[in-house]
């Protein structure tokens, strides 16, 4: 079996040999989206080994390199397995092709279609020039396999130290890389195999350059600071996220391990390239800290985070999204970056941050807690505290893109096409039972006992911070749930003495009208609440009831609503 050190060494062989093996592979990539940064490379005539820490798959290779005096681009592909053969090297276990080419080199070679990130490339330039690539930044990863060291890779050296710090200093903080013996950099020129052994005490490490690094054992080290995110590639809040985490680790180890100060700070994204969603604005982020006096978390805009970490220690930084200040339109892409650096000045890691705005559309569920009732003797006075134990009633609202809310007594959530949820009133749901029965075991019904059966009425106003939405709920004098009506009481059944003629309103029962106001607060209680204004709303509940007595009855309380689904339509 081939050992791990031999694997890395064998892959420094001539690139041309890769053309003769393997089947043609079409390299599949995901669509790049979000945050943008640029990296500039100083290319010399001939071959250059570069490391691309960004996802540039938003553009085709022709669009990136066409017309820029670039003759050829070759990407190195790490093997998917560290076991290449068992007994005979002519019968490898894996059929991976270790190089992909642009322009296409025919059916025996893998084709390079797009510029992926966290990859090493050999670029042949016709002239001396500066090449600027724009893409989505990616968290640094370790190239190669579980035991092959880092092989052909680059390092997130801080721009200030690029070309100014020796490999011996940069690698001194890792027990494995401190003892590397067979590593090299590309010497340029027309010879693609012009790899020159680097002397760690003499050679300087550069940001954006790719190096062959052969270590005796696997190491995840790429600098004194290691960064991980809850999303893997960065902080993507999407359309519904409100909290994401970054894990910052002191990666120094071995004889040179030491405490380091890690700093994380927000920086703006560059503008998007042509054809990509424009940058709507900087992602509004908050951070939290525990107030030892109150025992409560206090939020403040994220400006900078700093922490001293002991060797091997890691800390989790939680960042919260302020959706309230992202607008109320669907699909605006907010983009930003978080820069992580160490006080040694050696590393600078860029973390992408992305969030997408949404309209208030969706299904909102909450409740009103009523604890104030107005005096009948003074109906125009404001309601006063009536109980320490509030009376609670459920609120069900469907809100459209414009913020118009429909108050519902009950709603059915059923699986629609491709299992996407569909919201229905009882009438619509009842029709589907005979035309296209939904999956009963996947249907959810939510109801409120304080509204007339199957009530569904659009209100006036919009549901948004600082606004008021009003609803009028009528309970007809002859409704079965009207409190004046008793089916078997002759004085309250709305029938004449012969039980034949229906009596008009006002003789035995009365229509009850409920005027409901939802006064949404302009801001949450306190300075900040994650998700407030987008998925959480609260405020004052006001209701005036007429028809029960000669005077109107006023009640008051507080309400809170949570958006449980972004369903766009309500089927009535």
């Amino acid at each position: 079996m081939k050992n791990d050190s031999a694997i890395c060494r064998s892959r420094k062989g001539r690139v041309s040999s890769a053309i003769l093996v393997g089947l043609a592979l079409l390299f599949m990539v995901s669509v790049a989206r979000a945050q943008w940064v640029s990296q500039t490379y100083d290319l010399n005539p001939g071959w250059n080994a570069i490391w691309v820490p960004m996802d540039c798959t938003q553009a085709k290779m022709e669009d990136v390199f066409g017309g820029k005096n670039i003759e050829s681009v070759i990407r190195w592909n790490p093997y998917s397995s560290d076991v290449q053969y068992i007994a005979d090297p002519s019968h490898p276990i894996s059929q991976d092709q270790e190089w992909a080419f642009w322009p296409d080199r025919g059916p025996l070679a893998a084709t390079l279609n797009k510029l992926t990130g966290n990859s090493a490339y050999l670029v042949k330039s016709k002239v001396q020039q500066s090449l600027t690539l724009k893409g989505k930044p990616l968290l640094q990863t370790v190239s190669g396999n579980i035991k092959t060291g880092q092989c052909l890779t680059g390092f997130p050296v801080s721009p200030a130290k690029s070309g100014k710090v020796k490999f011996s200093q940069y690698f001194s903080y890792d027990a494995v890389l401190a003892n590397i013996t067979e590593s090299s950099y590309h010497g340029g020129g027309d010879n693609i195999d012009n790899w020159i052994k680097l002397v760690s005490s003499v050679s300087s490490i550069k940001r954006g350059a790719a190096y062959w690094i052969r270590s005796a054992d696997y190491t995840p080290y790429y600098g004194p600071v290691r960064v991980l995110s809850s999303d893997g590639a960065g902080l993507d809040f999407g359309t519904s996220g409100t909290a994401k985490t970054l894990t910052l680790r002191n990666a120094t180890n071995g004889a040179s391990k030491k405490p380091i100060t890690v700093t994380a700070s927000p920086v703006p994204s560059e503008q998007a390239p042509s054809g990509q969603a424009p940058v709507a604005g900087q992602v509004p982020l908050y951070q939290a800290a525990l107030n030892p006096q109150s025992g409560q978390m206090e939020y403040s805009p994220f400006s900078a985070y700093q922490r001293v970490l002991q060797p091997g220690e890691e800390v989790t930084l939680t960042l919260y999204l302020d959706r309230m200040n992202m607008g109320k339109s669907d699909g605006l892409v907010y983009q930003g970056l978080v820069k992580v650096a160490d006080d040694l000045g050696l590393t600078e890691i860029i973390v992408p941050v992305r969030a997408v705005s949404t309209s208030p559309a969706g299904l909102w569920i909450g409740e009103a807690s009523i604890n104030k009732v107005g005096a009948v003797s003074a109906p125009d006075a404001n309601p006063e505290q009536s109980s320490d134990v509030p009376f609670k009633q459920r609120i069900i609202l469907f809100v459209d893109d414009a913020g118009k809310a429909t108050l519902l007594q009950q709603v059915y959530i059923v699986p629609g096409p491709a299992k996407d949820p569909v919201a229905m009133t009882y009438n619509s749901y009842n029709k589907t039972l005979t035309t296209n029965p939904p999956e009963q075991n996947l249907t959810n019904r939510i109801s409120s006992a304080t509204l007339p059966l199957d009530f569904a009425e659009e209100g006036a106003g919009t549901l948004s911070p600082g606004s008021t939405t009003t609803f009028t709920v009528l309970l007809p004098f002859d409704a079965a749930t009207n409190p004046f009506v008793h089916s078997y009481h002759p004085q309250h059944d709305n029938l004449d003495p012969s039980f034949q003629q229906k009596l008009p309103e006002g003789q035995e029962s009365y229509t009850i009208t409920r005027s409901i106001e939802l006064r949404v607060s302009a801001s949450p209680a306190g300075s900040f609440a994650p998700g407030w204004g987008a998925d959480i709303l609260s405020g004052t509940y006001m209701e005036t009831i007429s028809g029960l007595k000669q005077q109107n009855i006023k009640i008051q309380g507080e309400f809170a609503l949570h958006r449980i689904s972004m369903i766009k339509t309500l089927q009535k």
Side-chain angles (χ1 to χ4, degrees):
M1 182 179 294
K2 183 183 286 188
N3 63 41
D4 56 347
S5 61
I7 292 173
C8 238
R9 180 167 48 196
S10 69
R11 301 202 68 183
K12 286 173 56 181
R14 299 182 60 84
V15 176
S16 57
S17 63
I19 305 177
L20 303 178
V21 295
L23 300 174
L25 298 176
L26 178 62
F27 185 70
M28 303 301 294
V29 297
S30 59
V31 177
R33 52 178 186 164
Q35 322 67 37
W36 304 100
V37 295
S38 294
Q39 174 83 40
T40 298
Y41 302 89
D42 294 326
L43 302 182
N44 294 315
W47 290 102
N48 300 264
I50 68 172
W51 174 257
V52 178
M54 309 162 296
D55 183 349
C56 302
T57 55
Q58 77 279 355
K60 297 179 180 179
M61 294 294 289
E62 290 74 13
D63 297 330
V64 176
F65 294 108
K68 295 183 179 179
N69 288 310
I70 300 297
E71 183 177 329
S72 183
V73 180
I74 306 174
R75 185 189 64 230
W76 177 71
N77 302 320
Y79 282 134
S80 62
S81 171
D82 65 320
V83 180
Q84 299 307 314
Y85 65 85
I86 296 177
D88 185 354
S90 65
H91 294 86
I93 292 175
S94 173
Q95 294 295 325
D96 294 345
Q97 290 176 288
E98 61 179 336
W99 303 98
F101 301 87
W102 178 86
D104 185 12
R105 294 198 178 185
L108 295 180
T111 300
L112 180 59
N113 292 319
K114 292 187 177 182
L115 203 65
T116 57
N118 275 336
S119 297
Y121 294 84
L122 297 176
V123 179
K124 189 173 186 181
S125 177
K126 297 178 181 179
V127 298
Q128 185 170 352
Q129 61 177 312
S130 291
L131 173 68
T132 299
L133 302 178
K134 177 176 283 194
K136 173 187 175 181
L138 299 172
L139 292 183
Q140 183 85 15
T141 59
V142 179
S143 297
N145 310 304
I146 195 167
K147 292 183 179 179
T148 61
Q150 298 199 47
C151 295
L152 188 55
T153 189
F155 299 90
V157 189
S158 69
K161 289 294 183 71
S162 179
K164 300 177 182 178
V165 60
K166 308 302 181 186
F167 276 88
S168 56
Q169 179 185 352
Y170 197 87
F171 287 168
S172 66
Y173 298 104
D174 182 66
V176 174
L177 294 180
N179 299 311
I180 59 171
T181 57
E182 293 187 26
S183 299
S184 57
Y185 65 92
H186 201 280
D190 291 331
N191 182 4
I192 197 170
D193 291 323
N194 185 24
W195 291 97
I196 301 174
K197 181 178 180 180
L198 61 84
V199 180
S200 61
S201 60
V202 176
S203 303
S204 298
I205 188 169
K206 297 180 180 180
R207 188 180 183 95
Y211 304 92
W212 278 111
I213 303 295
R214 186 175 75 87
S215 59
D217 201 355
Y218 170 80
T219 174
Y221 180 88
Y222 50 74
V225 180
R226 189 177 183 189
V227 181
L228 301 172
S229 78
S230 54
D231 289 330
L235 303 178
D236 192 344
F237 292 88
T239 58
S240 59
T242 55
K244 299 291 180 179
T245 60
L246 281 179
T247 300
L248 312 176
R249 181 180 178 85
N250 180 340
T252 65
N253 61 84
S256 298
K257 63 182 180 182
K258 63 181 298 182
I260 60 173
T261 300
V262 179
T263 301
S265 56
V267 293
S269 166
E270 296 181 12
Q271 288 302 311
S274 176
Q276 300 299 305
V279 179
Q282 179 81 349
V283 181
L285 296 176
Y286 274 69
Q287 62 189 87
L290 180 66
N291 186 321
Q293 281 73 37
S294 65
Q296 302 294 318
M297 298 299 293
E298 294 184 350
Y299 298 89
S300 60
F302 174 53
S303 56
Y305 173 87
Q306 194 172 78
R307 176 76 176 265
V308 177
L309 298 178
Q310 300 301 316
E313 181 185 5
E314 65 182 30
V315 63
T316 298
L317 170 62
T318 303
L319 296 175
Y320 301 88
L321 177 63
D322 181 11
R323 287 195 172 275
M324 181 178 173
N325 290 317
M326 287 178 56
K328 297 303 176 184
S329 298
D330 260 333
L332 297 179
V333 182
Y334 286 73
Q335 303 169 14
L337 308 166
V338 174
K339 180 174 70 175
V340 179
D342 60 70
D343 64 336
L344 302 175
L346 294 182
T347 50
E348 182 177 296
I349 299 168
I350 302 299
V351 182
V353 188
R354 173 182 179 271
V356 181
S357 67
T358 62
S359 72
L363 190 61
W364 296 71
I365 307 296
E367 67 177 15
S369 297
I370 300 166
N371 61 355
K372 295 181 180 180
V373 178
V376 176
S377 59
D380 293 330
N382 290 328
E384 297 180 355
Q385 186 78 24
S386 58
S387 173
D388 291 332
V389 180
F391 168 72
K392 296 185 178 182
Q393 60 182 36
R394 175 171 286 177
I395 302 173
I396 305 171
L397 296 176
F398 176 81
V399 182
D400 64 17
D401 283 324
K404 288 288 186 179
T406 298
L407 181 63
L408 301 169
Q409 185 271 327
Q410 63 178 335
V411 65
Y412 292 82
I413 304 175
V414 302
K419 302 299 182 182
D420 291 332
V422 176
M424 298 180 177
T425 62
Y426 173 75
N427 289 335
S428 179
Y429 178 72
N430 197 33
K431 293 177 183 177
T432 65
L433 294 178
T434 56
T435 59
N436 185 24
E439 298 181 53
Q440 298 288 341
N441 60 330
L442 297 179
T443 297
N444 292 291
R445 173 179 174 266
I446 305 171
S447 63
S448 172
T450 58
L451 291 173
L453 186 64
D454 297 330
F455 179 85
E457 193 70 36
E458 184 179 292
T462 58
L463 190 75
S464 59
S467 67
T468 297
T469 301
T470 61
F471 304 93
T472 300
V473 181
L474 293 179
L475 185 60
F477 77 98
D478 57 353
T481 53
N482 190 301
F484 291 110
V485 174
H486 302 274
S487 298
Y488 302 105
H489 195 297
Q491 293 179 339
H492 296 283
D493 61 3
N494 287 321
L495 295 175
D496 64 7
S498 65
F499 303 104
Q500 300 297 319
Q501 187 67 34
K502 186 175 182 178
L503 298 177
E505 178 185 1
Q507 291 195 21
E508 291 187 356
S509 66
Y510 305 89
T511 294
I512 298 173
T513 302
R514 298 170 57 189
S515 298
I516 298 174
E517 292 185 13
L518 300 180
R519 300 178 181 178
V520 184
S521 300
S523 59
S527 58
F528 175 74
W532 201 94
D535 297 302
I536 302 172
L537 291 173
S538 59
T540 302
Y541 179 92
M542 301 285 294
E543 183 174 337
T544 300
I545 305 172
S546 61
L548 283 178
K549 289 181 172 291
Q550 289 184 340
Q551 301 91 351
N552 292 339
I553 300 174
K554 291 185 177 182
I555 61 175
Q556 183 177 327
E558 302 298 322
F559 75 89
L561 294 168
H562 295 260
R563 179 162 57 172
I564 66 168
S565 174
M566 293 184 181
I567 296 174
K568 292 292 185 181
T569 58
L570 174 67
Q571 296 183 14
K572 296 182 179 181

